[in-house]
Amino acid sequence: MPPRQFHGPGLRVLRRSAGLTQAALAKVLGVSKTVVVDWEKDDEHCPPAERLPAIAKALGEDLDVLFPRYGPPDLADLRADAGYTQSRAAEALGTTRVPLSNAERGKKPLPPDLFVRVAALYNVTVEELAEAQERSRDSVTPAPVTMLQPPQGLNEKLHYLLECRPKVTNADVAAAVNRQTGASLEPCDIEDLRTQTRSTEQVFAGLPLAAVRDGLGEALNVTPFEFMDREEVEQDVIDALAFLTDKREGGVTVAARGATRGVSPEMVATIKELLLRNSGKQR
């Protein structure tokens, strides 16, 4: 079976882009928030294959684009793509799991009286179902699951997001970056990034990186933090908390550029205040 590819951190990016909280996505999918949190942590907590169509629909993405599969489907794949577990498919067909299980494991073909109804349930043609059944019979062992590695660095992250958003045009991205930076990028420059003909360092050479991130975030509907390393984000958070804490205490401090501070008791108080204020807004 060629499993669909799944990338937990990538799911988090797309969920945020769709304007959904973890709790909201969980509600749409009929699972707990904890389940979504686990899915987004890493690639070890993959959703069941039959959940992937619902996830793609909730995020407004094409199933084959969001969770690509390298190779043609077998019977189990067609069932999962239709959003059915074996039990639910059997119930919908008015039968037991046995004929479905036997066919998916290549032990026995689907009974003739069930064949057409299965094709209709999975929303495929009888020819497509027959081909998938042959692949199930020919498969000896499942193909190994190949997980996508989390994208690293601006080059990989931008390429990944551009691939995930085929509806965002090169002109959209170039215009957004130009607005933020005052540059004169052309759509062909962004096409070079899509095809990885040139790197971000080459395309954005001489432009202020923070403004480039803002433009990319605007075009791709993600926070500019998505284009930063975790350490950079953490340092920005610490610096911002330090600033807010100083203002909260009514003082003004000047520190050497690049200096770092730990999280003081005053910062903790600032964090609590912000959390309480934000929770009030969310009600």
Side-chain angles (χ1 to χ4, degrees), residues 17 87 101 198 225-226 266:
S17 299
S87 296
S101 176
R198 289 191 291 162
F225 286 142
E226 294 293 351
E266 291 78 17

Side-chain angles (χ1 to χ4, degrees), residues 4-249:
R4 289 193 177 277
Q5 311 301 296
F6 177 78
H7 177 224
L11 174 62
R12 182 179 64 247
V13 170
L14 291 175
R15 172 183 57 75
R16 289 174 175 173
S17 299
L20 292 173
T21 63
Q22 289 173 326
L25 179 59
K27 184 176 181 180
V28 171
L29 299 175
V31 299
S32 69
K33 177 183 174 182
T34 303
V35 170
V36 175
V37 171
D38 285 341
W39 288 346
E40 293 185 354
K41 278 181 183 176
D42 48 49
D43 297 333
E44 295 182 3
H45 299 83
C46 296
E50 61 271 9
R51 289 278 188 191
L52 299 183
I55 294 174
K57 182 178 180 181
L59 297 178
E61 298 286 344
D62 182 88
L63 177 64
D64 291 320
V65 173
L66 184 55
F67 305 117
R69 176 171 49 234
Y70 303 113
D74 60 17
L75 286 176
D77 295 327
L78 291 184
R79 171 178 53 74
D81 285 356
Y84 287 98
T85 61
Q86 236 179 42
S87 296
R88 286 189 57 231
E91 182 180 351
L93 292 164
T95 184
T96 67
R97 292 176 53 190
V98 174
L100 297 180
S101 176
N102 285 340
E104 288 182 8
R105 289 184 294 160
K107 293 181 66 176
K108 285 185 178 181
L110 289 166
D113 64 320
L114 201 59
F115 198 89
V116 175
R117 287 191 289 139
V118 170
L121 183 67
Y122 295 173
N123 195 29
V124 296
T125 65
V126 290
E127 290 79 12
E128 290 171 329
L129 188 66
E131 291 170 359
Q133 181 165 258
E134 283 302 311
R135 284 189 284 271
S136 293
R137 292 176 63 180
D138 293 341
S139 62
V140 179
T141 56
V145 176
T146 303
M147 296 301 177
L148 299 178
Q149 294 299 314
Q152 302 295 323
L154 182 56
N155 279 304
E156 289 187 17
K157 290 178 180 178
L158 180 54
H159 179 69
Y160 173 77
L161 286 168
L162 288 171
E163 287 295 302
C164 289
R165 287 165 174 72
K167 293 180 182 178
V168 177
T169 68
N170 295 333
D172 294 334
V173 179
V177 174
N178 289 341
R179 277 194 297 273
Q180 295 292 335
T181 63
S184 301
L185 296 178
E186 298 291 338
C188 60
D189 294 314
I190 308 303
E191 180 63 21
D192 285 348
L193 293 174
R194 284 188 190 271
T195 59
Q196 297 182 307
T197 304
R198 289 191 291 162
S199 68
T200 54
E201 290 81 3
Q202 293 171 314
V203 173
F204 301 135
L207 300 181
L209 185 55
V212 168
R213 289 168 175 163
D214 289 341
L216 295 175
E218 175 190 331
L220 296 166
N221 195 27
V222 297
T223 170
F225 286 142
E226 294 293 351
F227 303 105
M228 300 170 65
D229 294 333
R230 179 173 178 174
E231 292 76 13
E232 291 181 272
V233 176
E234 290 174 351
Q235 189 58 55
D236 273 9
V237 171
I238 293 295
D239 290 344
L241 285 172
F243 173 79
L244 288 174
T245 300
D246 292 336
K247 292 296 182 183
R248 180 173 177 270
E249 296 300 317

Side-chain angles (χ1 to χ4, degrees), residues 241 245 248 265-280:
L241 285 172
T245 300
R248 180 173 177 270
E266 291 78 17
M267 280 193 192
V268 173
T270 301
I271 294 170
K272 290 180 178 178
E273 179 182 309
L274 289 172
L275 290 173
L276 286 171
R277 188 181 307 161
N278 192 54
S279 65

